[in-house]
Amino acid sequence: MGMNSRQRVVCALNHEEPDRVPFFFGASGATTIHVDGYERLKAFLGCNTTTEMMSNIMKFAYVSDEVMKRVGSDGWPVNAGPLTSELNEVISEKAFIDAWGVKWEEEPNGLYYCPSYMSPPLSIGMAIDELEKKKL
């Protein structure tokens, strides 16, 4: 009989041989998937879950529990949640301003976003006391 995920991970952490190598998919930013690939994976698996973004900048998706179960992930994420700020703003489908006031624009190939160096956050001419009043 095979191990469950917890047994498998504990076994590996104890430098023992588990029934298979623990597999982490969607448990963190390092083990997630680009939103385009995730949509294709969901279609292949027949999953109709809503896609939520883990990172707008890198276009990483939160992997749903259903997909993690279907692919056999041995780990699940523990997320602190997004940084809230009054500076967050969606400009268009291809551009947004993050919680720090940085404008991000989609690359021409559409794989990810890059910061717009034409409008750095401190270029708006705010004085230091005005910046300190901003809620980040």
Side-chain angles (χ1 to χ4, degrees), residues 1 15 18 21 33-34 47 55 71-72 77 83 96 118 133:
M1 183 171 166
H15 301 280
V21 175
I33 185 171
H34 189 277
C47 296
S55 167
V71 300
L83 174 65
F96 66 93
M118 302 307 289
K133 291 178 190 175

Side-chain angles (χ1 to χ4, degrees), residues 107-126:
E107 281 288 294
N109 63 16
L111 290 177
Y112 56 89
Y113 290 84
C114 282
S116 171
Y117 297 107
M118 302 307 289
S119 59
L122 299 179
S123 67
I124 55 178
M126 281 189 183

Side-chain angles (χ1 to χ4, degrees), residues 81-121:
L83 174 65
T84 57
S85 168
E86 61 186 40
L87 300 176
N88 285 329
E89 179 185 349
V90 175
I91 298 169
S92 71
E93 194 173 294
K94 297 187 179 284
F96 66 93
I97 296 174
D98 70 12
W100 303 104
V102 176
K103 181 179 178 184
W104 294 83
E105 296 177 301
E106 189 175 65
E107 281 288 294
N109 63 16
L111 290 177
Y112 56 89
Y113 290 84
C114 282
S116 171
Y117 297 107
M118 302 307 289
S119 59

Side-chain angles (χ1 to χ4, degrees), residues 10-32:
V10 168
C11 186
L13 290 173
N14 287 330
H15 301 280
E16 298 167 359
E17 188 173 336
D19 60 342
R20 66 171 172 80
V21 175
F23 174 62
F24 292 87
F25 179 67
S28 71
T31 64
T32 192

Side-chain angles (χ1 to χ4, degrees), residues 5-73:
S5 292
R6 184 180 192 286
Q7 293 168 330
R8 187 173 298 115
V9 172
V10 168
C11 186
L13 290 173
N14 287 330
H15 301 280
E16 298 167 359
E17 188 173 336
D19 60 342
R20 66 171 172 80
V21 175
F23 174 62
F24 292 87
F25 179 67
S28 71
T31 64
T32 192
I33 185 171
H34 189 277
V35 70
D36 294 343
Y38 184 57
E39 292 300 330
R40 289 192 296 272
L41 175 62
K42 287 190 329 182
F44 176 78
L45 296 173
C47 296
N48 295 320
T49 58
T50 302
T51 300
E52 295 180 45
M53 297 299 289
M54 176 185 286
S55 167
N56 287 334
I57 296 166
M58 297 303 293
K59 291 190 170 183
F60 288 161
Y62 281 114
V63 178
S64 71
D65 286 351
E66 180 182 353
V67 171
M68 285 193 282
K69 287 176 188 172
R70 295 278 303 274
V71 300
S73 181

